[in-house]
Amino acid sequence: MTNLKGFLPMPDIDVVNAQLLSLLQDDGRMTNARLSEHLGMSETPCWRRLKRLEESGVIEGYQANLNRRKLGLGVMAFVQLRCSEHDQAATAEFQRIVQTTPNILSCHNTTGADDFLLIVVARDLDDYSSFVDSTLRRLPGVTSIRSNLSLKEMKASSKLPVAAR
């Protein structure tokens, strides 16, 4: 397979790559030496696998997982938005606002009665109310906002199931 500039084919997710990805999801700070030890291989081939997974985009980056409550963000809301405008300009402005608003953790364009599902965090209910007024109601074309507040987080994970193919 020929590589195009800036494009690498996705590496095969064999048993070793699946184990490597699982280990990194458990501990993103794991050194190459520890990874190679866990995988039972020498460091250079382990490093090559890791680089190929990064360069192909399977691994998009590394981050610390923070406790939102300890940062004073006690409210998590699932917000369903319905929009009346779907033209290119309104969509571009909507995406710009969503992507640059730190309180919006994720946004999904969905099927069904609503157009978007957002996950939003706030300090408390007053802060969330202010966020709805100052940000969500000002999004272009929004005609309906429905919020569901999380009462208890039963599971929170960004770990994906990884299996060899």
Side-chain angles (χ1 to χ4, degrees), residues 36-149:
S36 63
E37 181 181 318
H38 281 285
L39 297 171
M41 62 191 321
S42 63
E43 290 185 38
T44 300
C46 182
W47 180 84
R48 282 191 196 119
R49 282 179 178 266
L50 180 59
K51 286 300 163 198
R52 183 141 188 252
L53 290 165
E54 290 171 349
E55 290 169 356
S56 69
V58 172
I59 297 174
E60 293 181 332
Y62 300 88
Q63 67 182 29
N65 296 320
L66 307 178
N67 183 316
R68 68 178 171 84
R69 286 184 185 88
K70 290 188 178 187
L71 292 172
L73 299 168
V75 170
M76 178 179 280
F78 300 89
V79 184
Q80 297 159 311
L81 299 178
R82 188 174 303 159
C83 297
S84 62
E85 297 178 37
H86 299 281
D87 62 79
Q88 192 171 10
T91 300
E93 179 62 6
F94 180 92
Q95 286 180 346
R96 184 194 68 74
I97 293 169
V98 164
Q99 290 172 353
T100 60
T101 303
N103 291 69
I104 300 174
L105 300 184
S106 68
C107 175
H108 299 268
N109 187 210
T110 60
T111 61
D114 298 307
D115 296 303
F116 298 96
L117 174 65
L118 284 66
I119 298 177
V120 174
V121 292
R123 288 187 310 276
D124 52 32
L125 289 177
D126 290 336
D127 185 41
Y128 179 68
S129 176
S130 176
F131 177 78
V132 169
D133 289 339
S134 67
T135 304
L136 297 182
R137 289 199 173 131
R138 298 183 193 283
L139 287 168
V142 171
T143 58
S144 171
I145 300 171
R146 293 187 309 150
S147 298
N148 293 297
L149 300 178

Side-chain angles (χ1 to χ4, degrees), residues 4-63:
L4 302 173
K5 185 177 182 181
F7 172 81
L8 289 173
M10 187 174 88
D12 292 331
I13 305 299
D14 59 14
V15 173
V16 175
N17 281 347
Q19 289 174 329
L20 189 151
L21 292 169
S22 292
L23 287 166
L24 284 175
Q25 285 191 109
D26 288 339
D27 181 1
R29 294 179 61 177
M30 189 176 292
T31 65
N32 186 59
R34 285 214 36 231
L35 275 172
S36 63
E37 181 181 318
H38 281 285
L39 297 171
M41 62 191 321
S42 63
E43 290 185 38
T44 300
C46 182
W47 180 84
R48 282 191 196 119
R49 282 179 178 266
L50 180 59
K51 286 300 163 198
R52 183 141 188 252
L53 290 165
E54 290 171 349
E55 290 169 356
S56 69
V58 172
I59 297 174
E60 293 181 332
Y62 300 88
Q63 67 182 29

